[in-house]
Amino acid sequence: MFTGIIETIGEVISTTDTSVNKKITINPQKHGFLHDVRTGDSISVNGACMTVEQNDADKFYFTAIHETLQKTNLGLLSTGNKVNLEKAMKPEKRIDGHFVQGHIDTTGEVMNINNLGGTWEFFISFKSSFSDNVIYVGSIAVNGISLTVADIVDDNNEKTIIKIAVIPHTFENTNMKFLKPNSIVNIEFDMLGKYVKRIIQK
């Protein structure tokens, strides 16, 4: 379980493809980020909960299996790419974001980015079949970042487009600053909302 508050950015330093999986090695930018990480621990990588298979003071690696590669943007990663990192939350830690499981629901595409001179607006589209998972000013995790839906711009039979407003701190300390139109992002919808939806549909 995570909070959606990114702790550091990591750089992909190597990827190795197997027949169906992909081994990815990450170097976190924050010094000491891995000091308390052990084999078997969970780390959110662009919002996807991954299991640390091995690590030292400067890097860790994990294996993204076929299902993960199909449902997330991890399959698109290559050497030099930047990813958002967050270690699993501790019970005594304040939840400054919202409950994020690290289970990606779908990917979205960045349609447009507006720089308003101190804040940024990101317009992101995803399949309309997920449209009932978002509400105005509701929580959403984009590449693992806890964000708020500022507006539902379009909602048709093919795709839903939402607007996300990003403050300077989030922009500078996550990989939002590297995104461009057509970038693919991981999306996890609010867990509590999904449970309510499931109960109502039964």
Side-chain angles (χ1 to χ4, degrees), residues 119-142:
T119 61
W120 291 260
E121 293 178 337
F122 285 76
F123 295 83
I124 299 172
S125 70
F126 50 85
K127 294 178 182 178
S128 60
S129 57
F130 293 98
S131 64
D132 54 359
N133 288 293
V134 292
I135 59 172
Y136 173 63
V137 299
S139 296
I140 191 170
V142 178

Side-chain angles (χ1 to χ4, degrees), residues 165-202:
V166 176
I167 63 174
H169 177 82
T170 301
F171 186 83
E172 291 297 332
N173 291 280
T174 70
N175 65 4
M176 296 295 282
K177 61 185 175 184
F178 301 112
L179 297 180
K180 300 176 181 178
N182 301 318
S183 291
I184 302 300
V185 295
N186 292 331
I187 295 177
E188 180 185 333
F189 301 106
D190 182 38
M191 176 181 70
L192 300 180
K194 288 187 288 187
Y195 276 120
V196 171
K197 172 186 170 183
R198 173 66 174 168
I199 293 171
I200 292 175
Q201 289 179 340
K202 291 189 68 175

